[in-house]
Amino acid sequence: MTEIETNQRDSELFSPPSNVRGMTKLDRTAFKKTVTIPVLKVRKEIVNKLMRSLKRAALQRPGIKRVIEDPEDEESRLVMLDPYKIFTDGSFERAELSILKQLNVSPQIHKYNLELTYENFKSEEILRAVLPEGQDVTSGFSRVGHIAHLNLRDHQLPFKHLIGQVMIDKNPGITSAVNKINNIDNTYRNFQMEVLSGEENMMTKVRENGYTYEFDFSKVYWNPRLSTEHSRITELLKSGDVLFDVFAGVGPFAIPVAKKNCTVFANDLNPESHKWLLHNCKLNKVDQKVKVFNLDGKDFLQGPVREELMQQLGPLSKERKHSVHIVMNLPAKAIEFLSVFKLLLDGPPCGIELLPIVHCYSFSKDPNPAKDVQQRAGAVLGISLEACSSVHLVRNVAPNKEMLCITFRIPAAVLYKNQTLTLENQDDPPLKRQKTDKVFSEEKTQMASVTSLEMPSPSPH
Ligand SMILES: C[S@@+](CC[C@H](N)C(=O)[O-])C[C@H]1O[C@@H](n2cnc3c(N)ncnc32)[C@H](O)[C@@H]1O
């Protein structure tokens, strides 16, 4: 029997009673149902031996014991059998009959009235029985600590409180169910949410890649689907490197990177994120390694980042071996912030290998999302990034909408104001221009060799 057939079969006999259809307030007592099950009467001392040979015929249903006490005889037990396989004593296979004979068990089938209750149904069976027939009952959610974060569709909304309660009942550790009530389009990227059932308290604790984060989920951004991306970026940094995290949230890039003995400058405009970022740095014992700021990303880049870069990349930088990374995870807007890098620094440019490496996130609905992101980022910087950047596909956010990360070194010709001052013959303007162009094209060639192209194939969604 195929899995689909098994599910269909189970859904008839083992589905909640039909009178729960349309229920909006959860009444667990309404889920009681009695089904008649074939059983074998056996002596209690042979149960274990027998069960090993009756795997095919025994009832297999989560939450239901296959062997129960016999209400009429305390020396015997009732073995529940699958009503779709065993109808009469003639339904046993030859090997099963032979074992029954060996153990001196009569193959005679008895009937047992098994009471199913709310506890015996899975969440999907409950929702399929309650919601209007033929409508999608998908009950998936993102888990954030003790919170189940649902994204209900319109037809599910009349049942939202019941759905929330079922999620809590059927998922150990979940004590609160919330529904997203708009898309994340507010500045701080936190979800507007409605508590459907359970605890109102949105203060939660999560573990990601071995680190602990505490925060109020109603006030800050947290997405459990980014854990792989957080560890991908963390892997790129080595001990001694410097990270500037422009849109740091509560610390999922900053904290693991700081643990690798890197220096981290982490910033977030949301005062609540800033508060929990500070808290999480202490919680994970990296507060000595992370400098935390509460600024607009542009001010952070033009202030503390610029100041630090002037030092890190200044004249003493020749002895330095470490890399400087700048992470910009605000996919709806980060590309616009790239303009801040234009002519940000004064003085003679540093060596190419010391130029900061940017990891900038973006959404794209373009059929060629990698090229789209390269072109948009390049347009803001006034250069072509196609030959000297890599693009990583982070995740599919919605049908035809991808989240991507573009990585590139900021060219000195973009980053430095007086790029040409280092060149000879500065008093000859046409030559000066030529030399600047030459520097940029040499940089491009060298940068192409330091970043690999990692173009995603078009999303399957
Ligand atoms: C998509 S979240 C990313 C958070 C974190 N990096 C992560 O991976 O979970 C973007 C963060 O940027 C912050 N943010 C939004 N606009 C900002 C701005 N103009 N300047 C600085 N931070 C900003 C939000 O408060 C939010 O925490």
Side-chain angles (χ1 to χ4, degrees):
M1 194 177 274
T2 67
E3 202 180 318
I4 294 173
E5 282 168 340
T6 313
N7 287 343
Q8 271 171 358
R9 189 206 71 181
D10 278 4
S11 71
E12 288 154 27
L13 190 65
F14 296 108
S15 67
S18 55
N19 59 324
V20 301
R21 173 93 53 218
M23 176 187 282
T24 50
K25 190 169 181 314
L26 183 62
D27 173 8
R28 295 179 184 83
T29 61
F31 285 78
K32 275 199 188 132
K33 173 180 179 175
T34 305
V35 287
T36 305
I37 300 289
V39 290
L40 269 183
K41 230 174 174 8
V42 302
R43 296 186 319 281
K44 66 179 183 190
E45 59 274 16
I46 56 119
V47 165
N48 287 346
K49 246 187 198 165
L50 179 68
M51 292 312 285
R52 264 176 256 142
S53 310
L54 272 194
K55 285 197 180 120
R56 182 200 71 96
L59 179 66
Q60 312 234 11
R61 176 110 197 130
I64 293 178
K65 285 187 185 165
R66 279 185 280 175
V67 180
I68 54 167
E69 302 209 340
D70 181 351
E72 290 164 9
D73 176 4
E74 57 180 46
E75 289 310 303
S76 66
R77 297 286 179 266
L78 301 180
V79 174
M80 307 255 198
L81 301 171
D82 185 333
Y84 288 92
K85 289 184 185 146
I86 307 294
F87 320 101
T88 66
D89 50 4
S91 313
F92 287 108
E93 289 182 349
R94 195 181 290 176
E96 292 163 345
L97 281 171
S98 131
I99 274 291
L100 293 177
K101 195 167 175 197
Q102 232 179 55
L103 295 171
N104 204 15
V105 176
S106 158
Q108 191 194 347
I109 298 296
H110 300 262
K111 298 281 176 205
Y112 179 78
N113 287 337
L114 173 68
E115 187 170 271
L116 299 174
T117 65
Y118 176 78
E119 283 66 39
N120 301 123
F121 298 109
K122 298 178 212 161
S123 54
E124 214 166 305
E125 291 166 338
I126 293 170
L127 299 185
R128 202 177 303 124
V130 169
L131 267 65
E133 226 160 340
Q135 290 202 351
D136 183 20
V137 297
T138 319
S139 48
F141 59 84
S142 300
R143 183 175 183 157
V144 180
H146 69 283
I147 304 161
H149 184 218
L150 291 95
N151 187 4
L152 297 179
R153 249 104 13 103
D154 287 349
H155 72 271
Q156 297 167 326
L157 292 178
F159 306 94
K160 61 186 180 183
H161 299 296
L162 179 143
I163 296 175
Q165 189 55 54
V166 173
M167 293 302 119
I168 293 173
D169 290 344
K170 297 293 173 183
N171 294 283
I174 296 286
T175 52
S176 181
V178 302
N179 188 35
K180 174 167 151 181
I181 52 178
N182 66 356
N183 280 329
I184 302 194
D185 51 10
N186 63 347
T187 307
Y188 299 150
R189 283 23 234 176
N190 56 321
F191 292 99
Q192 303 301 302
M193 57 183 83
E194 178 193 11
V195 178
L196 301 176
S197 196
E199 278 184 69
E200 296 274 333
N201 176 18
M202 293 291 108
M203 268 300 311
T204 197
K205 183 192 223 165
V206 300
R207 292 275 294 169
E208 183 185 271
N209 300 326
Y211 299 94
T212 305
Y213 302 89
E214 290 178 343
F215 49 84
D216 183 333
F217 186 49
S218 65
K219 296 188 176 144
V220 303
Y221 177 89
W222 182 265
N223 187 342
R225 296 194 177 101
L226 289 181
S227 72
T228 308
E229 184 57 17
H230 295 145
S231 74
R232 185 183 75 89
I233 294 290
T234 305
E235 288 292 301
L236 299 177
L237 281 95
K238 295 187 190 63
S239 173
D241 285 353
V242 179
L243 171 71
F244 298 104
D245 190 352
V246 186
F247 309 105
V250 298
F253 287 117
I255 289 168
V257 167
K259 265 284 190 246
K260 291 183 89 171
N261 203 26
C262 297
T263 304
V264 178
F265 295 74
N267 172 67
D268 202 285
L269 180 62
N270 179 355
E272 281 289 321
S273 295
H274 175 254
K275 177 177 109 185
W276 291 110
L277 177 57
L278 280 168
H279 172 88
N280 290 324
C281 287
K282 285 207 185 83
L283 189 65
N284 291 281
K285 301 190 171 54
V286 291
D287 46 319
Q288 298 303 312
K289 284 269 157 203
V290 187
K291 289 199 180 81
V292 176
F293 300 83
N294 181 208
L295 298 170
D296 179 80
K298 192 172 171 213
D299 298 331
F300 176 61
L301 289 166
Q302 285 174 334
V305 176
R306 179 182 182 279
E307 199 177 304
E308 191 62 26
L309 285 180
M310 290 294 288
Q311 277 189 27
Q312 295 278 339
L313 312 180
L316 294 175
S317 65
K318 284 189 187 68
E319 292 117 56
R320 297 227 166 84
K321 290 272 181 293
H322 60 247
S323 305
V324 174
H325 293 255
I326 304 177
V327 169
M328 301 171 74
N329 182 16
L330 179 60
K333 283 204 174 131
I335 284 184
E336 295 167 27
F337 285 77
L338 293 176
S339 63
V340 179
F341 293 121
K342 283 160 84 175
L343 312 182
L344 182 68
L345 304 184
D346 307 302
C350 64
I352 284 179
E353 66 292 348
L354 294 179
L355 288 167
I357 301 164
V358 170
H359 310 276
C360 179
Y361 291 83
S362 180
F363 295 125
S364 178
K365 291 183 173 175
D366 195 274
N368 187 341
K371 197 167 176 198
D372 170 50
V373 169
Q374 284 174 320
Q375 284 178 345
R376 284 192 287 123
V380 172
L381 293 169
I383 53 167
S384 166
L385 282 173
E386 289 180 44
C388 53
S389 63
S390 67
V391 181
H392 174 79
L393 175 61
V394 179
R395 67 187 196 97
N396 176 250
V397 179
N400 305 320
K401 184 174 176 183
E402 313 294 343
M403 175 177 172
L404 304 109
C405 175
I406 178 166
T407 292
F408 59 93
R409 278 190 201 276
I410 314 172
V414 170
L415 193 60
Y416 283 90
K417 277 191 187 114
N418 35 6
Q419 169 72 180
T420 53
L421 289 177
T422 56
L423 303 174
E424 297 153 10
N425 300 322
Q426 288 157 25
D427 43 9
D428 180 346
L431 185 63
K432 199 158 86 180
R433 182 72 246 150
Q434 261 175 20
K435 290 252 179 175
T436 310
D437 290 347
K438 184 166 169 277
V439 167
F440 182 48
S441 86
E442 275 168 8
E443 267 187 77
K444 261 174 80 171
T445 320
Q446 291 189 42
M447 283 192 300
S449 66
V450 292
T451 58
S452 65
L453 267 174
E454 193 191 322
M455 309 289 269
S457 48
S459 161
H461 301 279

